[in-house]
Amino acid sequence: MHCSASKFARHFSGLEAVWMKKRKRLGSPVAPVMNGTLETQSSLEINCVAKPPDALSCGVCVCGCCGALRPRYKRLVDNIFPEDPEDGLVKTNMEKLTFYALSAPEKLDRIGAYLSERLIRDVGRHRYGYVCIAMEALDQLLMACHCQSINLFVESFLKMVAKLLESEKPNLQILGTNSFVKFANIEEDTPSYHRSYDFFVSRFSEMCHSSHDDMEIKTKIRMSGIKGLQGVVRKTVNDELQANIWDPQHMDKIVPSLLFNLQHVEEAESRSPSPLQAPEKEKENPAELAERCLRELLGRAAFGNIKNAIKPVLIHLDNHSLWEPKVFAIRCFKIIMYSIQPQHSHLVIQQLLSHLDANSRSAATVRAGIVEVLSEAAVIAATGSVGPTVLEMFNTLLRQLRLSIDYALTGSYDGAISLGTKIIKEHEERMFQEAVIKTIGSFASTLPTYQRSEVILFIMSKVPLPSLHHPMETGKTGENRNRLTQIMLLKSLLQVSTGFQCNNMMSALPSNFLDRLLSTALMEDAEIRLFVLEILISFIDRHGNRHKFSTISTLSDISVLKLKVDKCSRQDTVFMKKHSQQLYRHIYLSCKEETNIQKHYEALYGLLALISIELANEEVVVDLIRLVLAVQDVAQVNEENLPVYNRCALYALGAAYLNLISQLTTVPAFCQHIHEVIETRKKEAPYMLPEDVFVERPRLSQNLDGVVIELLFRQSKISEVLGGSGYNSDRLCLPYIPQLTDEDRLSKRKSIGETISLQVEVESRNSPEKEERVPAEEITYETLKKAIVDSVAVEEQERERRRQVVEKFQKAPFEEIAAHCGARASLLQSKLNQIFEITIRPPPSPSGTITAAYGQPQNHSIPVYEMKFPDLCVY
């Protein structure tokens, strides 16, 4: 026994001597450590600690004879490890191990377990060289083996990867990530029902947020984390049997990690998020890699998973206050919209709309950022499929517009300013309102014509108008709110109508829409009237001629404008026959407004010119000339007591339009008359021409009462020259008189009470209390003239009477109103009794009447068969 021990001692000392000589030859310092081991410190990136080969590493048992009794798979695994870890994996032995694993797949799980045992021990002993060799062997076995037993081997593999990721050494984390990525690219033949990736999602997400002091190491760790998340997504996203990676618990980690790295890209290196514009070779950095991973993730998202993928994006932008700069938010959603399937675009829009509603009380800058992101996303979504969210989107935006108006008026989100209430800045709310209007216009411009028409009608239905069906708020605050709401909605409508192309004007301007729009054209607010005129111009201009009439002038040759003129279609002719008088009336009344400025007259000129080009036939041309001559009479007679500027502007407007229409009709005598009057004005009265009126500093005349006839366009002369060219001279001779309707009067009402007064007035006129016999008045020319001249005074009296009636119903006690209504009810009952008495009473006898008591004649009821009928009634 003593002899055996001495032999073993000599054998071990010999091995130790050989080991030390080899280490000295390699030039590595050696130092004795505890338990008789030797530790060597390498100059490699990974610090390798070597120790003398033991029974497991060399296959030599202490007893010498026990090595042959070890299982074969363990001996094959031990043989792939060299004596020096710097020599790397022993390839020949690795081939033997691979062949053995393929030949005996049932041993694969044991091979994996044994490799895992060695790796865990080497990590604990800081033998990082052997750790790298073990992971390389695992990778090769994974790539080579695809059998049913691979699942058990994968469990050992994932256990080893998790051990590496738990390490604090960056190189081990990167090593484990690279192995996991290789594993993620392998398509397994058999599914796994119990495998979990929760740890890897959490660990990779943590690596994405690395804050290492060394910039280079931090970048490598972050990129490894992104690659790891990409591997998890690839491994699980299409496998229904795996853990659902789309669950909120996973998405709340994956998406913010990718956005965090995407956020730290320099502005100069940012590129277009469209994959079609990606450069051929791009610099590898965390931002680029995170973007590719995010695209891949969203591209694999199914219909039911879009919400879980988008919600973390919105939360991340909220938590990091990224809506206000809005550059990063827009970039993120462009990536999202270009990556998801087109049929899922409306789901993203719905998420943004819901988020906007949820932030309705946030700062205006935050809401403006959300709206601008929504604008960019909606434009991209419109190229695909927006689905049923069109009106929902506009409804949400209009609701936010109303809320913003309330916030700006009240100064707080709660409607009342109290201690601790956040004060609202009016200019920020105005910025938000402009962003909403811009979004409405940009999204509407991408819609097809039929959807755009629905949006136009929808917005117009939201405009508060003084009518029975659209009550308006009373009081000063209510009037301000109504006015701001009208302006904002009309601005939105103008954005939607810009560039609107529709061949049929009956479809573009249906009756219900046109009536509501024109009723706002007679509002007292000048800004509202201007918006209405511009909206009409946008609808009528179908050939892009609008900008050519932006300035009013009297060109001697309009061919320089290069107008695009088409023949009036049959549908347009029908439209003008139905609505022309309505349009003319509102143009005429708009010209008489005292608050008009230069922009109003430019809009009126553009509207007249576009009607002449787009919708004109001979009848329309005649009516337009009559209309402009009537406007000239308004400036000459000045019954409205207009300022000097307004009168000069009306003269100039008439000159510019008649100069245009004369050259469009190409009637030489008509052109000559217009040219003569213009030339006369240039010499004697330049203040009646647009070149002197519609400038920054208009040159006006203080006396416009004595205008000579040579300075005016004469209706008799125009009817004469145009009548000779086939135009209706009889119609031209008639002066234009607008038809005032109840709609025109309603347009200037400010409360629903005044509208109700119309009904009260009609009923009061028809009541028996005021019923009087008035002799019929003979209608003569003088009577009609007097009615026209006195129409203004009569309208003022009617307005005063209506005001009194409304005031009575608003301020009178309830008992008085109830008594009044009771009296009217009794009058109605008496009338009904009279009607019933007449109806039920039998007809008088044809034989005569009998005088009853008190000298009153009394009719007797005679049977029909006893009545005597005239001979003419007998056949």
Side-chain angles (χ1 to χ4, degrees):
M1 191 70 180
H2 177 72
C3 180
S4 300
S6 61
K7 289 182 180 180
F8 172 74
R10 288 195 301 270
H11 177 71
F12 186 79
S13 61
L15 287 175
E16 185 177 8
V18 172
W19 183 262
M20 293 185 65
K21 288 180 181 180
K22 188 174 182 179
R23 303 315 300 166
K24 290 179 180 179
R25 186 173 66 252
L26 293 174
S28 301
V30 293
V33 295
M34 295 179 63
N35 300 326
T37 59
L38 297 176
E39 184 176 4
T40 176
Q41 198 73 14
S42 170
S43 59
L44 296 175
E45 182 180 1
I46 299 178
N47 299 328
C48 298
V49 179
K51 61 181 291 187
D54 54 9
L56 292 176
S57 61
C58 299
V60 179
C61 182
V62 174
C63 296
C65 61
C66 297
L69 301 178
R70 296 174 60 79
R72 184 182 179 188
Y73 72 90
K74 286 190 176 182
R75 284 184 278 124
L76 291 174
V77 170
D78 291 337
N79 290 338
I80 67 174
F81 291 92
E83 294 182 359
D84 185 1
E86 295 179 8
D87 295 341
L89 183 69
V90 180
K91 295 183 179 180
T92 55
N93 293 337
M94 186 64 214
E95 291 176 359
K96 294 178 182 179
L97 179 62
T98 304
F99 178 77
Y100 177 76
L102 292 173
S103 302
E106 68 276 3
K107 300 291 185 179
L108 191 59
D109 57 331
R110 299 184 182 182
I111 295 173
Y114 185 58
L115 277 171
S116 175
E117 178 185 346
R118 285 194 59 112
L119 183 137
I120 293 173
R121 186 180 67 248
D122 290 337
V123 171
R125 296 180 179 181
H126 304 288
R127 297 177 178 179
Y128 300 128
Y130 289 118
V131 171
C132 296
I133 294 174
M135 292 307 300
E136 184 179 356
L138 284 170
D139 293 342
Q140 292 189 20
L141 287 174
L142 273 176
M143 299 298 294
C145 300
H146 294 279
C147 60
Q148 294 182 356
S149 302
I150 191 71
N151 283 331
L152 297 177
F153 177 74
V154 168
E155 293 301 324
S156 300
F157 169 79
L158 294 179
K159 184 178 180 181
M160 287 182 279
V161 172
K163 184 66 177 179
L164 295 179
L165 293 177
E166 289 175 348
S167 173
E168 296 180 357
K169 299 290 184 179
N171 292 319
L172 292 184
Q173 297 176 13
I174 296 172
L175 178 64
T177 302
N178 293 336
S179 296
F180 183 84
V181 171
K182 293 177 183 177
F183 160 71
N185 292 327
I186 298 175
E187 295 184 3
E188 301 181 46
D189 298 334
T190 56
S192 175
Y193 297 91
H194 59 280
R195 194 180 302 163
S196 175
Y197 295 95
D198 294 356
F199 168 78
F200 296 99
V201 172
S202 301
R203 185 56 183 157
F204 288 139
S205 300
E206 184 180 349
M207 292 171 63
C208 291
H209 292 82
S210 173
S211 58
H212 199 279
D213 296 335
D214 191 338
M215 180 62 69
E216 184 177 355
I217 295 178
K218 180 175 68 174
T219 301
K220 289 182 179 180
I221 295 176
R222 288 187 177 183
M223 292 186 66
S224 295
I226 297 171
K227 290 178 181 178
L229 291 177
Q230 190 175 23
V232 173
V233 171
R234 289 178 179 176
K235 199 64 181 174
T236 60
V237 74
N238 290 328
D239 192 351
E240 296 180 356
L241 300 176
Q242 300 286 358
N244 191 359
I245 199 67
W246 299 106
D247 288 343
Q249 59 179 349
H250 299 310
M251 286 290 105
D252 291 343
K253 298 175 183 177
I254 295 175
V255 175
S257 301
L258 298 177
L259 294 179
F260 176 77
N261 287 273
L262 189 64
Q263 180 182 347
H264 289 79
V265 63
E266 294 182 0
E267 194 68 23
E269 295 180 357
S270 62
R271 59 185 175 88
S272 172
S274 175
L276 300 177
Q277 300 176 0
E280 296 179 0
K281 185 178 181 180
E282 53 189 38
K283 184 180 177 182
E284 193 76 359
N285 59 64
E288 300 278 345
L289 189 60
E291 181 177 336
R292 290 203 303 272
C293 183
L294 184 61
R295 288 184 184 280
E296 183 176 352
L297 175 68
L298 295 170
R300 296 171 181 266
F303 182 87
N305 302 325
I306 292 294
K307 182 178 179 179
N308 291 340
I310 300 301
K311 189 176 180 179
V313 178
L314 300 174
I315 295 175
H316 180 82
L317 296 175
D318 287 340
N319 294 339
H320 295 271
S321 301
L322 296 174
W323 292 112
E324 298 182 26
K326 71 197 171 192
V327 177
F328 178 73
I330 291 176
R331 183 165 183 255
C332 285
F333 274 90
K334 280 188 175 181
I335 292 174
I336 292 171
M337 298 305 295
Y338 282 122
S339 301
I340 63 175
Q341 300 178 24
Q343 62 268 26
H344 300 162
S345 300
H346 67 281
L347 297 177
V348 181
I349 302 299
Q350 288 177 344
Q351 287 289 303
L352 282 169
L353 292 174
S354 300
H355 196 67
L356 180 60
D357 283 337
N359 287 270
S360 59
R361 291 177 179 267
S362 300
T365 52
V366 174
R367 285 179 283 132
I370 298 175
V371 167
E372 294 200 19
V373 171
L374 182 62
S375 173
E376 297 289 342
V379 171
I380 300 173
T383 60
S385 173
V386 184
T389 60
V390 176
L391 291 182
E392 177 188 352
M393 176 178 175
F394 284 100
N395 190 31
T396 302
L397 292 175
L398 294 179
R399 183 171 61 252
Q400 292 295 325
L401 203 57
R402 284 181 173 270
L403 288 175
S404 178
I405 292 172
D406 292 338
Y407 295 158
L409 288 175
T410 59
S412 69
Y413 296 117
D414 300 325
I417 299 178
S418 60
L419 189 62
T421 301
K422 185 177 180 181
I423 304 301
I424 295 175
K425 298 179 181 179
E426 187 175 353
H427 71 278
E428 292 182 353
E429 291 296 333
R430 193 178 301 113
M431 177 190 66
F432 169 72
Q433 294 164 9
E434 294 297 331
V436 171
I437 294 172
K438 178 184 175 183
T439 301
I440 290 175
S442 61
F443 180 48
S445 63
T446 62
L447 296 177
T449 302
Y450 72 95
Q451 280 188 332
R452 207 165 175 183
S453 300
E454 292 178 358
V455 171
I456 288 170
L457 294 175
F458 180 75
I459 296 176
M460 194 66 214
S461 66
K462 300 292 183 179
V463 178
L465 296 176
S467 65
L468 285 172
H469 302 288
H470 296 84
M472 300 176 65
E473 299 183 33
T474 57
K476 186 175 181 180
T477 304
E479 290 179 4
N480 291 336
R481 183 178 289 106
N482 290 331
R483 178 183 177 276
L484 290 175
T485 304
Q486 289 168 349
I487 290 175
M488 291 303 166
L489 292 178
L490 289 176
K491 275 186 178 181
S492 305
L493 192 59
L494 179 60
Q495 288 285 334
V496 176
S497 62
T498 302
F500 181 71
Q501 297 290 333
C502 186
N503 296 327
N504 188 356
M505 289 303 297
M506 294 291 291
S507 301
L509 294 172
S511 299
N512 55 347
F513 171 77
L514 188 62
D515 293 341
R516 289 181 55 80
L517 181 63
L518 292 180
S519 64
T520 60
L522 300 179
M523 291 283 185
E524 295 179 354
D525 191 283
E527 188 176 2
I528 293 177
R529 296 200 309 272
L530 182 59
F531 281 130
V532 174
L533 293 174
E534 291 178 349
I535 291 169
L536 286 172
I537 290 173
S538 299
F539 278 110
I540 297 175
D541 181 25
R542 293 174 293 184
H543 294 86
N545 294 317
R546 175 181 182 176
H547 66 281
K548 300 173 184 178
F549 303 110
S550 57
T551 57
I552 307 177
S553 61
T554 54
L555 294 175
S556 58
D557 185 9
I558 63 171
S559 61
V560 298
L561 297 177
K562 297 180 181 180
L563 300 174
K564 298 178 182 178
V565 182
D566 284 342
K567 186 178 179 181
C568 182
S569 63
R570 185 170 177 270
Q571 292 85 355
D572 294 342
T573 302
V574 173
F575 172 79
M576 289 305 292
K577 284 184 178 180
K578 186 175 181 180
H579 300 291
S580 60
Q581 295 303 319
Q582 193 178 7
L583 286 171
Y584 302 153
R585 180 174 66 252
H586 285 80
I587 292 174
Y588 177 80
L589 296 177
S590 297
C591 291
K592 297 169 66 175
E593 294 291 341
E594 295 183 9
T595 56
N596 286 344
I597 58 176
Q598 180 177 339
K599 290 184 178 180
H600 290 83
Y601 295 111
E602 290 174 351
L604 287 167
Y605 173 69
L607 182 58
L608 289 169
L610 289 172
I611 292 175
S612 304
I613 293 174
E614 299 283 351
L615 307 173
N617 50 30
E618 290 186 1
E619 183 178 350
V620 173
V621 169
V622 170
D623 288 340
L624 288 174
I625 293 174
R626 292 172 56 219
L627 172 62
V628 173
L629 292 176
V631 170
Q632 178 182 256
D633 294 340
V634 170
Q636 181 183 8
V637 179
N638 195 24
E639 293 180 351
E640 305 291 333
N641 295 322
L642 296 175
V644 175
Y645 174 79
N646 295 60
R647 296 178 66 187
C648 293
L650 292 179
Y651 281 126
L653 175 65
Y657 176 74
L658 290 175
N659 175 69
L660 173 68
I661 197 66
S662 65
Q663 297 186 53
L664 290 175
T665 56
T666 63
V667 178
F670 184 31
C671 294
Q672 181 180 359
H673 172 66
I674 302 301
H675 180 70
E676 289 175 355
V677 175
I678 292 175
E679 290 298 323
T680 305
R681 289 187 179 183
K682 286 181 180 180
K683 296 177 182 178
E684 301 180 9
Y687 51 84
M688 300 174 69
L689 292 175
E691 287 76 10
D692 279 24
V693 177
F694 302 117
V695 291
E696 185 177 356
R697 294 183 178 179
R699 295 179 288 273
L700 307 176
S701 173
Q702 298 301 325
N703 186 13
L704 292 176
D705 295 332
V707 178
V708 295
I709 194 171
E710 288 79 9
L711 299 176
L712 301 176
F713 301 100
R714 299 189 298 276
Q715 188 164 6
S716 58
K717 179 67 174 178
I718 293 174
S719 60
E720 178 184 348
V721 296
L722 288 180
S725 299
Y727 289 88
N728 190 343
S729 59
D730 296 336
R731 189 175 182 85
L732 275 168
C733 292
L734 296 175
Y736 174 77
I737 300 175
Q739 301 174 359
L740 295 177
T741 62
D742 289 340
E743 177 234 342
D744 300 327
R745 299 189 184 98
L746 283 174
S747 61
K748 290 192 177 182
R749 302 281 193 286
K750 291 187 176 63
S751 68
I752 190 172
E754 296 186 31
T755 305
I756 297 174
S757 68
L758 286 177
Q759 295 178 337
V760 176
E761 178 188 352
V762 171
E763 292 173 356
S764 63
R765 287 182 178 179
N766 296 332
S767 63
E769 295 178 345
K770 297 186 177 180
E771 186 176 355
E772 296 179 1
R773 291 289 182 179
V774 180
E777 183 179 358
E778 183 179 3
I779 300 176
T780 62
Y781 174 76
E782 293 297 327
T783 306
L784 292 175
K785 182 177 180 181
K786 182 179 179 181
I788 295 173
V789 172
D790 297 338
S791 60
V792 177
V794 172
E795 188 174 357
E796 289 293 335
Q797 295 176 1
E798 292 179 355
R799 187 181 294 109
E800 179 64 19
R801 184 168 60 255
R802 286 194 296 270
R803 187 192 64 79
Q804 293 176 358
V805 174
V806 173
E807 185 177 2
K808 176 182 177 182
F809 274 85
Q810 290 178 343
K811 297 181 179 180
F814 176 78
E815 292 77 11
E816 183 179 347
I817 298 176
H820 176 70
C821 294
R824 291 176 56 190
S826 61
L827 289 172
L828 176 62
Q829 186 62 41
S830 64
K831 274 292 184 185
L832 289 175
N833 292 336
Q834 294 178 14
I835 294 172
F836 292 151
E837 183 180 359
I838 295 173
T839 306
I840 299 173
R841 190 175 60 193
S845 172
S847 60
T849 60
I850 302 175
T851 302
Y854 306 104
Q856 295 294 331
Q858 182 177 1
N859 294 324
H860 280 269
S861 177
I862 301 176
V864 177
Y865 56 85
E866 292 183 1
M867 291 182 182
K868 296 181 180 180
F869 295 94
D871 296 338
L872 294 176
C873 295
V874 180
Y875 292 92

